[in-house]
Amino acid sequence: MGTLRPVGRVLLRDTAYAAIRDAIVQGELPPGEPVRDADLAERLGLSRAPVREALARLAEEGLVETKPQSWTRVTRLEPRAVREAAVVVRAMHELAARAAVPRLTDEDVAAMRRANARFEEATRAGETGAALAADDELHDVLVRVADNRAVAATIARHTPLIRRLEWRRFAEESALESAALHELLIASCAARDAVAAARVTARIWRALEELADEPEPESGAGEPGAELEPRPESGAAGPGAEPEPRPRSGVVSALEPEGLT
């Protein structure tokens, strides 16, 4: 009866983590937004325990910040944090490229081509989520083939900080430039030239370091992400503390119970 093993709470914790992370990355939970485990648990259809564990993990990764027994909120966007994350992610992707390219199959290269085609199509259609998902799929081919768990874990930990900024500043022109760089990367992979692939990979991810240095576009009042400065008073989450009323960012689709199936 090995298929009837108990379902561990870790699965709920990981699911809660992914849903809340995606809501933060996509700006549905904007910078400065107070978050309460009870509210999130209700929206996710979960108990509070896995949500608390998910928030603790997100705090370690810099997406939420907490004052014990007082408040928890989404962190504001920090250019320095994004730059530092981008440097680490770039280095890991370079390592993955060097290790993976000699092992790539023709099907792996074809998968990268298909992902880039989806990336370009979504970019032209203005579909940010689909474009970034396709971008992840393309680079994940090299990460998967490299088969280095430390590299994969480091990329998974730090990429959300970068994607969070990309969601806010996604532009068709720069994305199409990325598609062209993807083509160069794919050509290097097809030629099994690991050095060239690592070089192009560095160019791709260095552009995201530069993105962090660009001025933050102005946001109108009430728009997701308009408030970037910390507001400790508004993020109450501890016993007896209530968050100060403020406009919410709307229904977070990633946090709906049906999104957890």
Side-chain angles (χ1 to χ4, degrees):
M1 302 295 289
T3 59
L4 297 180
R5 294 186 300 272
V7 177
R9 191 177 69 182
V10 65
L11 298 178
L12 297 179
R13 177 200 65 197
D14 290 348
T15 303
Y17 162 81
I20 300 168
R21 177 203 62 202
D22 290 349
I24 293 172
V25 167
Q26 297 171 23
E28 295 177 88
L29 287 175
E33 177 87 352
V35 290
R36 300 185 61 186
D37 52 23
D39 293 341
L40 292 172
E42 181 178 0
R43 296 167 76 179
L44 289 167
L46 296 173
S47 68
R48 294 171 68 176
V51 172
R52 286 187 188 131
E53 294 177 36
L55 290 174
R57 181 175 170 186
L58 290 164
E60 292 177 357
E61 297 177 1
L63 292 175
V64 302
E65 56 187 346
T66 300
K67 181 177 180 181
Q69 304 301 316
S70 183
W71 48 260
T72 300
R73 64 176 175 230
V74 178
T75 56
R76 65 191 180 99
L77 287 166
E78 290 279 1
R80 176 179 175 179
V82 175
R83 270 196 312 275
E84 291 175 346
V87 168
V88 172
V89 170
R90 169 169 58 84
M92 294 298 100
H93 277 292
E94 286 185 68
L95 284 172
R98 290 180 185 277
V101 168
R103 308 176 191 171
L104 290 173
T105 66
D106 290 343
E107 174 53 33
D108 292 327
V109 176
M112 294 175 71
R113 287 199 176 97
R114 291 193 296 269
N116 197 37
R118 290 193 296 273
F119 175 82
E120 187 169 356
E121 180 180 357
T123 294
R124 294 187 186 281
E127 298 173 354
T128 302
L132 294 180
D135 186 69
D136 282 337
E137 289 177 24
L138 186 153
H139 293 288
D140 282 350
V141 171
L142 295 176
V143 175
R144 172 180 56 79
V145 175
D147 194 25
N148 185 315
R149 286 179 293 179
V151 166
T154 303
I155 289 172
R157 174 177 179 133
H158 294 286
T159 298
L161 281 173
I162 305 168
R163 290 303 193 211
R164 187 182 180 198
L165 188 63
E166 285 186 280
W167 264 88
R168 290 172 58 83
R169 300 185 182 177
F170 192 82
E172 180 177 346
E173 181 179 357
S174 61
L176 290 176
E177 291 174 1
S178 293
L181 286 175
H182 289 162
E183 289 295 340
L184 290 177
L185 174 60
I186 294 166
S188 299
C189 291
R192 304 303 190 269
D193 188 338
V195 174
R199 188 181 304 120
V200 177
T201 296
R203 288 178 61 188
I204 292 169
W205 291 96
R206 191 171 289 115
L208 298 177
E209 297 172 38
E210 296 169 358
L211 183 66
D213 294 322
E214 295 179 6
E216 180 67 25
E218 293 184 4
S219 299
E223 292 181 358
E227 180 187 323
L228 301 185
E229 293 301 316
R231 292 182 56 186
E233 300 81 12
S234 68
E242 293 294 329
E244 179 181 302
R246 60 170 288 185
R248 295 191 59 82
S249 59
V251 177
V252 181
S253 59
L255 300 182
E256 294 301 317
E258 58 265 31
L260 300 180
T261 57

